[in-house]
Amino acid sequence: RVSLSDLDLYAVMTDEAACAAARARALAETLGAGGGTGGPGALAAPLEVAFVTLEGLARMPARPGTVDLVRSGRVIAGDPRVLAHLPHWKPAAVSAEERRLLLENRAFELLAARVQSPGPLASIQARHAVLKAALDVAAARTLAHGELPATAAERVLRARALPPPQGLPSWLEGAWAGAQPLWDE
């Protein structure tokens, strides 16, 4: 198996100066680095690290990722009480602008998958981009109704139950159906 989803980490630093220094080191270390090799158990997507302070955690805006972080964030090293600093946003607090940004990010992933160089992971990365876009369309649809079910399966089920908006892409239902075996495992 190869993980195609990015992994988001938050490194909680003592102050803004420590955050800036850590960002500079991380940038210097990753410039020019490519993705994973795609071997069994490989991480073939970016490892994204945000360097924040406790105050920065407390000021995180209402975004789909913030709602999910509160629900499923884990401390892998350090004081587990840092999670208590996260704001407990309700899905209804996520603005229309944030929902649009969620979809814009997926659009860029779809474009990137379309123009990427051929390689051993190219076709599965393209399929992953389609499935990820489909799942985030489901998230955006539920968020528009003030909801964000906890799992991908629940999001798609709820999005399907909502009245279809005008202009729903024709490929979406097929992508949702194609993603179902992934959460049925």
Side-chain angles (χ1 to χ4, degrees), residues 71-135:
R71 289 178 177 168
S72 60
R74 302 287 180 265
V75 175
I76 55 173
D79 187 350
R81 294 177 293 179
V82 299
L83 295 175
H85 291 268
L86 290 165
H88 290 245
W89 293 109
K90 300 288 184 208
V94 177
S95 69
E97 176 65 17
E98 287 297 334
R99 295 191 307 269
R100 278 190 294 275
L101 288 172
L102 177 68
L103 297 177
E104 285 177 7
N105 289 339
R106 297 302 77 78
F108 285 113
E109 285 186 33
L110 289 170
L111 289 170
R114 177 79 171 124
V115 300
Q116 70 185 345
S117 301
L121 291 178
S123 64
I124 61 171
Q125 286 172 323
R127 178 73 176 144
H128 177 263
V130 169
L131 294 175
K132 191 172 179 181
L135 293 176

Side-chain angles (χ1 to χ4, degrees), residues 30 35 100 126 157 180:
T30 59
R100 278 190 294 275
L157 186 65
Q180 187 164 351

Side-chain angles (χ1 to χ4, degrees), residues 155-177:
R155 288 176 191 180
V156 169
L157 186 65
R158 179 63 181 131
R160 282 176 162 160
L162 293 169
Q166 194 166 10
L168 195 65
S170 60
W171 58 266
L172 188 57
E173 187 59 41
W176 283 343

